[in-house]
């Protein structure tokens, strides 16, 4: 069944601007839509609709950084008929409005010393939780055989790395991390970094590494440390949407 999901992901990445529906995708792999929904969610961790939205917004991020198109034109290019709906969804998923994302991303990448985007984003600071309702998440990061410097780790409310984290920190791999003052509840712990294989001398390109651990139940007492291993992104993972990492949006590719 995995090859059928991969075919559906290819269709999403190649035709994301079209009004694709669950029925369209299920028919493309000749499965009932309910069976397709279960199989797709099991392989990718998200529904086809959420994967499609992530791909659309990833392309919107790229267009905002690499073209002079206005927000309405970007919205139309990625398959939204309403600029208002696009702006709301983009803001929820990226943590900044399209206009803020373009302005702060360009400033962070072109300013003196090229400061990291995360440090230029006041909007990524989660609101302080109520007193007495927080816990912490600790763990160890691994990246076997890959050279990794900064790793962004955060507690997010879903399986897609999007929006504003409840708590985040920077760490190294291999190394320990701590997320402090995480509100009690259920969270997904996402880690993302850029890395390069030490044996790869083919150029300056660095691969995107990530890991997702969860759902994790956070309580006032610290739970058992998590053991998280980063690996290169593959076709099963939806694009990273949050602006927290400061990573440039990757080109869409099947």
């Amino acid at each position: 069944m995995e090859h059928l999901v991969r075919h559906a992901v290819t269709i999403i990445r190649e035709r994301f601007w079209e009004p694709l529906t669950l029925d369209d995708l299920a028919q493309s792999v000749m499965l009932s839509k309910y069976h397709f929904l279960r199989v797709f969610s099991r392989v990718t961790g998200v529904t086809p609709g959420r994967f499609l939205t992530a791909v659309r917004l990833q392309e919107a991020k790229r267009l905002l950084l690499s073209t002079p198109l206005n927000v309405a034109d970007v919205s139309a290019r990625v398959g939204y008929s309403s600029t208002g709906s696009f702006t709301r969804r983009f803001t929820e998923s990226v943590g900044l409005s399209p206009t803020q994302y373009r302005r702060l991303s360009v400033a962070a990448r072109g300013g003196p010393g090229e400061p990291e985007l995360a440090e230029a984003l006041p909007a990524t600071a989660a609101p302080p939780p109520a007193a007495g309702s927080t816990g912490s998440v600790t763990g160890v990061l691994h990246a076997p055989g890959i050279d990794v410097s900064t790793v962004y780790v955060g507690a997010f409310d879903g399986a897609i790395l999007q929006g504003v984290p409840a708590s985040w920190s920077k760490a190294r791999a291999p190394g320990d991390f701590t997320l402090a003052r995480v509100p009690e509840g259920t969270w997904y712990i996402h880690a993302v970094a850029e890395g390069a294989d030490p044996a790869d001398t083919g150029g300056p390109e660095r691969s995107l590494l990530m890991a997702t651990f969860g759902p994790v139940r956070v309580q006032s007492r610290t739970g058992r440390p998590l053991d998280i291993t980063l690996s290169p992104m593959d076709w099963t993972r939806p694009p990273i949407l949050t602006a927290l990492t400061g990573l440039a949006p990757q080109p869409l590719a099947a």
Side-chain angles (χ1 to χ4, degrees):
M1 286 295 180
E2 188 172 290
H3 70 285
L4 297 179
V5 175
R6 185 163 191 163
H7 180 71
V9 167
T10 299
I11 290 175
I12 289 173
R13 291 185 180 275
E14 292 180 348
R15 297 166 49 191
F16 60 86
W17 61 86
E18 298 180 16
L20 295 172
T21 65
L22 178 60
D23 285 322
D24 294 332
L25 293 170
Q27 289 173 10
S28 73
V29 295
M30 294 180 290
L31 293 176
S32 74
K33 66 178 180 180
Y34 300 109
H35 185 43
F36 170 70
L37 178 61
R38 288 193 297 271
V39 172
F40 191 100
S41 300
R42 186 178 71 242
V43 172
T44 66
V46 297
T47 65
R50 293 195 70 189
F51 202 108
L52 174 60
T53 296
V55 169
R56 285 174 169 171
L57 295 180
Q58 170 80 345
E59 176 65 4
K61 289 170 65 179
R62 189 191 68 79
L63 291 173
L64 287 166
L65 292 188
S66 62
T67 75
L69 294 173
N70 62 36
V71 173
D73 289 338
V74 169
S75 169
R77 286 277 188 99
V78 299
Y80 282 82
S81 58
S82 164
T83 303
S85 296
F86 163 74
T87 299
R88 285 192 297 273
R89 183 61 62 88
F90 187 99
T91 303
E92 291 170 357
S93 299
V94 178
L96 297 167
S97 71
T99 302
Q100 289 174 316
Y101 177 76
R102 168 177 273 166
R103 183 176 66 249
L104 288 178
S105 295
V106 170
R109 295 183 191 287
E114 296 186 353
E116 296 174 12
L117 180 59
E119 296 173 357
L121 298 181
T124 60
S133 63
T134 65
S136 62
V137 177
T138 63
V140 182
L141 296 168
H142 307 277
I146 304 174
D147 179 26
V148 176
S149 53
T150 302
V151 182
Y152 292 90
V153 189
F156 292 80
D157 63 3
I160 293 180
L161 210 173
Q162 66 178 20
V164 179
S167 176
W168 72 277
S169 68
K170 290 190 289 187
R172 298 181 67 88
D176 300 333
F177 74 89
T178 298
L179 299 178
R181 301 185 69 210
V182 182
E184 289 188 343
T186 301
W187 302 93
Y188 286 81
I189 309 304
H190 291 281
V192 61
E194 287 182 315
D197 186 335
D200 182 7
T201 58
E205 291 82 8
R206 296 174 67 82
S207 61
L208 199 57
L209 309 172
M210 73 172 299
T212 299
F213 197 104
V216 173
R217 179 68 185 173
V218 176
Q219 298 176 314
S220 57
R221 63 181 184 276
T222 302
R224 247 184 350 186
L226 307 181
D227 200 55
I228 297 178
T229 299
L230 290 101
S231 60
M233 284 192 69
D234 61 24
W235 65 269
T236 66
R237 297 180 185 268
I240 294 170
L241 298 180
T242 182
L244 170 69
T245 63
L247 301 174
Q250 302 295 300
L252 293 177

